[in-house]
Amino acid sequence: TVFQRNYILCEEGSSVELIDEYEDKNDAINNVYKILQIEKNANFNHTIVQENSFNHSLILSTHTICKESANYNQHVYNFSEGYVRNFHFSDLKETNSQVDLQGFFFLRNSNTSNNKTFVRHSSDDCKSNQAYKGILNDSSKATYFSNTHVDSVAQKTEGYQLSKGILLSKDAYFFSKPELKIYADDVKCSHGSTIGPIDENAIFYLRSRGISKNAAIKMLVSSFINEELNSIVNDYVFEMIEKKLIRYLSEIK
């Protein structure tokens, strides 16, 4: 087991882009904990790409502290064959700070992934977004717990949660639990969760146009993630995610 602890400080007015790639092939457990402190008017774009082998387990946790007008964007892409646990916590400490936590996982075989995001609104005029999407095939399993905590002083809060999942097999399983704890009275907060098999009507429509069932499923799965994929502005990240997605789709039977 490897334990790793990182501390990253983004100084006032700075702009940081960090790309974390996990592609471990060894038989081990990697436990990584990152503390991110984002000072006033700083921007942090954080991309996390995971593609570990079957015998490698990854436990990744981040704890982000956002000061005044700080902005933290996190995008997690999990293509791993081994077990992955993603736990990500953010504290909006000062006014006008923002956090966007998004995750995408692509599971197959008997793989398992546990995901959790937690955002604490500790000041006024702050915004948060928590959104996870998953595609599960074979007998894979996933969980996603999202939590928004709004303190009594955190007026003018905007907090949103969303989870979506496509089950490509009757043996696949995805459990989602959104949670709101609101102690202020001037807020805009919402949550939603949609999990189910792929739309049979959409498959029928595509097949009626001469497209095979397998190709139709791949087209619908691609469209499920296409909007997020097209929003990636970094060319290196876009090409990397696109290749991994094509590889995942090629294994769908």
Side-chain angles (χ1 to χ4, degrees):
T1 302
V2 178
F3 293 93
Q4 181 180 342
R5 186 181 181 94
N6 306 118
Y7 182 82
I8 299 175
L9 172 63
C10 297
E11 296 183 345
E12 182 176 337
S14 63
S15 181
V16 177
E17 181 167 9
L18 176 63
I19 301 172
D20 277 337
E21 297 180 54
Y22 297 90
E23 296 187 357
D24 297 290
K25 308 300 180 184
N26 55 323
D27 186 1
I29 300 173
N30 196 8
N31 192 332
V32 182
Y33 182 67
K34 295 180 182 291
I35 300 173
L36 315 172
Q37 183 165 322
I38 307 175
E39 296 293 331
K40 181 179 178 181
N41 293 321
N43 291 288
F44 195 129
N45 292 315
H46 193 185
T47 301
I48 301 170
V49 184
Q50 303 161 334
E51 192 177 27
N52 300 313
S53 63
F54 174 76
N55 57 355
H56 188 97
S57 297
L58 172 64
I59 300 172
L60 176 63
S61 304
T62 62
H63 187 175
T64 307
I65 300 169
C66 295
K67 298 297 185 67
E68 182 182 346
S69 299
N71 187 20
Y72 177 65
N73 298 307
Q74 181 191 84
H75 290 79
V76 181
Y77 302 91
N78 178 16
F79 294 90
S80 295
E81 295 181 9
Y83 171 76
V84 175
R85 192 192 80 174
N86 280 301
F87 279 15
H88 303 290
F89 306 86
S90 294
D91 191 354
L92 301 175
K93 278 282 189 185
E94 297 180 1
T95 185
N96 203 36
S97 54
Q98 299 184 37
V99 64
D100 184 14
L101 305 177
Q102 296 191 42
F104 311 91
F105 52 87
F106 308 85
L107 304 183
R108 56 196 179 278
N109 301 323
S110 58
N111 196 9
T112 301
S113 176
N114 297 123
N115 308 278
K116 182 176 182 179
T117 57
F118 180 95
V119 178
R120 176 183 289 274
H121 288 256
S122 303
S123 186
D124 59 309
D125 283 303
C126 295
K127 297 179 181 180
S128 68
N129 180 54
Q130 304 169 66
Y132 267 61
K133 285 186 174 184
I135 301 169
L136 300 93
N137 202 3
D138 305 316
S139 58
S140 58
K141 294 178 174 58
T143 61
Y144 175 49
F145 296 88
S146 56
N147 187 296
T148 302
H149 182 103
V150 182
D151 287 351
S152 58
V153 297
Q155 304 295 342
K156 305 294 183 180
T157 282
E158 292 187 26
Y160 306 100
Q161 300 176 28
L162 178 66
S163 65
K164 290 185 176 182
I166 291 181
L167 308 178
L168 298 178
S169 164
K170 61 181 180 62
D171 296 319
Y173 174 86
F174 182 18
F175 177 78
S176 173
K177 183 183 179 184
E179 189 173 83
L180 296 169
K181 293 185 178 180
I182 302 173
Y183 300 97
D185 52 17
D186 186 4
V187 302
K188 294 180 181 179
C189 293
S190 65
H191 62 74
S193 180
T194 305
I195 301 169
I198 205 157
D199 189 350
E200 290 294 335
N201 291 328
I203 292 177
F204 177 81
Y205 174 82
L206 291 172
R207 294 192 69 185
S208 69
R209 297 301 187 270
I211 300 172
S212 69
K213 183 177 181 179
N214 184 261
I217 291 174
K218 292 179 180 180
M219 288 178 63
L220 292 172
V221 169
S222 295
S223 66
F224 182 68
I225 192 69
N226 234 20
E227 182 180 349
E228 286 76 15
L229 188 64
N230 291 331
S231 68
I232 300 174
V233 296
N234 186 297
D235 291 339
Y236 173 78
V237 174
F238 178 85
E239 292 176 5
M240 176 170 50
I241 300 302
E242 186 179 43
K243 289 179 181 178
K244 295 182 188 300
L245 179 60
I246 291 173
R247 190 181 309 131
Y248 177 84
L249 294 175
S250 69
E251 298 177 357
I252 296 177
K253 300 286 191 287

